[in-house]
Amino acid sequence: MTDPQRRTTIRDVAARAGVSPGTVSKALNGTGQISAGTRQRILAAAAETGFKPNELARSVFERRSYTVGMITTDSFERFSVPVMLGAEDALGAGRISVFLCDSRDDPIREKHYIDVLQGRRVDGFIVTGRSSNVRQPLTVEPGTPVVYALTPSADPTDCSIVVDDAAAGRIAGEHFLRMGRSRIAHVTGPEHFDAARERASGLQDALAAAGTSLIAPTFYGGWGEEWGRQAGQMLLRAHPDVDAIYCGSDLVARGVGDSMRELGRHVPRDVALIGTDNWEIVATGARPPLTTVDTGLSEVGRIAAERLLDAIAGRQHAGIERVAPHLVIRGSTDSTGAA
């Protein structure tokens, strides 16, 4: 019996199971040729003795640090935090810690973080940001796995997990059509953002499949409420009979909703409104609460972490993998307000 005041060691587990300390290490680390019965006996002995592996010794033994570096360019953390939470869900099962570093779109700062994290011998990197525009690959030591989340690598041989932005636009358009809306417009962010163009394309594809089209060219501008208010006013002046508006972000949708009220339009009875992102504090705080397309950022992070774990284990993935978005229905498209 072990002394309760003393930390249980691997030798205690070995003595309880009747095997060598080396066999215990192999069983606990999932390595070596060990019979199922012996492995089960060792795991039971570890539980009985209250053994907790020394992580430093484990990392030295396996030549791994059990840490991952996450590099982001998202200074506002609006997108990197959901991605990181999803990644941590996947990495936590393997007791892997995440170092989050914000490069602020500064190549020098990014290189500094890479050097620091590689000095700590991280097992790999997840790279994310605030847009789905492609970026140049991370410059790391040969053999260091890197997976890109949300912001894809320009190298097609890299592994990139991204949002399906075209599907987001299609989902919004199809929902409006099911509501019976036909005078549909689109207000979104800057045209140089891939996400803005792809969501617009997806929306147009959904309408074209139903034999209709947007009532006006897409309103490209900013991602914030101010642009949403301006665009909403311009849209209503030019097309007072608009009955549905899809917005490229929840903040834009909030601004558009403000302009609808100011100009005497009821949401959703007169104008149905859909945003993008499912930024809950924004969507639920809108009046009425905002129907929005959830782009699945946590799922992007979770899958990216799983692909990184595969790469660390020697199973590399390559190419772009798209995560399907889904619609979250709230009051701004309430079916009782359908035309």
Side-chain angles (χ1 to χ4, degrees), residues 168-205:
R170 286 196 302 272
I171 288 170
E174 290 165 356
H175 187 60
F176 284 146
L177 293 169
R178 285 193 297 271
M179 292 178 67
R181 302 301 168 106
S182 59
R183 304 284 294 171
I184 300 169
H186 184 34
V187 179
T188 191
E191 192 170 6
H192 67 269
F193 277 79
D194 292 346
R197 297 194 309 275
E198 290 178 14
R199 290 168 190 171
S201 177
L203 174 63
Q204 291 162 3
D205 287 347

Side-chain angles (χ1 to χ4, degrees), residues 43-217:
L43 292 176
E48 291 166 4
T49 58
F51 176 68
K52 296 181 180 179
N54 183 301
E55 295 299 329
L56 178 60
R58 181 186 181 205
S59 67
V60 171
F61 179 80
E62 298 183 22
R63 296 184 180 181
R64 285 185 54 186
S65 67
Y66 288 87
T67 58
V68 165
M70 178 175 282
I71 304 291
T72 180
T73 61
D74 178 22
S75 300
F76 299 104
E77 299 182 347
R78 166 63 191 97
F79 302 105
S80 61
V81 168
V83 169
M84 184 183 72
L85 292 176
E88 285 188 326
D89 285 344
L91 296 171
R95 291 184 294 178
I96 295 176
S97 301
V98 179
F99 292 118
L100 177 62
C101 299
D102 179 8
S103 69
R104 305 178 194 175
D105 271 331
D106 182 348
I108 296 176
R109 185 183 294 268
E110 180 174 276
K111 184 180 183 306
H112 167 72
Y113 284 136
I114 293 169
D115 291 343
V116 169
L117 292 173
Q118 290 200 312
R120 290 176 174 266
R121 312 311 302 170
V122 293
D123 295 330
F125 288 92
I126 295 175
V127 183
T128 187
R130 61 174 175 268
S131 89
S132 58
N133 288 12
V134 297
R135 58 153 292 155
Q136 289 304 305
L138 213 64
T139 302
V140 297
E141 294 175 1
T144 303
V146 181
V147 174
Y148 298 82
L150 179 63
T151 302
S153 170
D155 185 343
T157 65
D158 286 334
C159 178
S160 299
I161 315 300
V162 302
V163 170
D164 191 339
D165 286 303
R170 286 196 302 272
I171 288 170
E174 290 165 356
H175 187 60
F176 284 146
L177 293 169
R178 285 193 297 271
M179 292 178 67
R181 302 301 168 106
S182 59
R183 304 284 294 171
I184 300 169
H186 184 34
V187 179
T188 191
E191 192 170 6
H192 67 269
F193 277 79
D194 292 346
R197 297 194 309 275
E198 290 178 14
R199 290 168 190 171
S201 177
L203 174 63
Q204 291 162 3
D205 287 347
L207 300 186
T212 187
S213 61
L214 292 171
I215 64 170

